[in-house]
Amino acid sequence: MPLGNLKPLEIILIIAVILLLFGAKKLPDMARSLGKSARILKSEAKAMKKDGAENAEPTSETVADTTPPATPAKTIQAAPGDVTSSRPVSEAKPTTQS
């Protein structure tokens, strides 16, 4: 059954089953994590397209110059609001006992 043929009663039934399975408290967290995943996937796809376009278009300068261009190192940035991965790790200082 295609999704375009769903009637309003069927949609309400599906929503009720989802609420019963996951609970109302977990749904916002699940939607938030799904949104973050979609944003990360979208940004990675754009980066791959950009890298592919740079490599696919050889110009007369790149053909004449045999040295590979210096590309900056890629970094993965933390998601907004993710404070655990953005904090620097500090080493524990030894304590002196007297």
Side-chain angles (χ1 to χ4, degrees), residues 30-60:
M30 291 173 58
R32 215 173 284 121
S33 65
L34 183 65
K36 284 181 184 180
S37 300
R39 282 192 299 270
I40 290 171
L41 180 65
K42 185 177 178 181
S43 66
E44 290 296 324
K46 283 183 180 180
M48 289 176 70
K49 284 183 181 178
K50 181 181 174 185
D51 288 345
E54 289 174 358
N55 293 336
E57 298 176 7
T59 61
S60 61

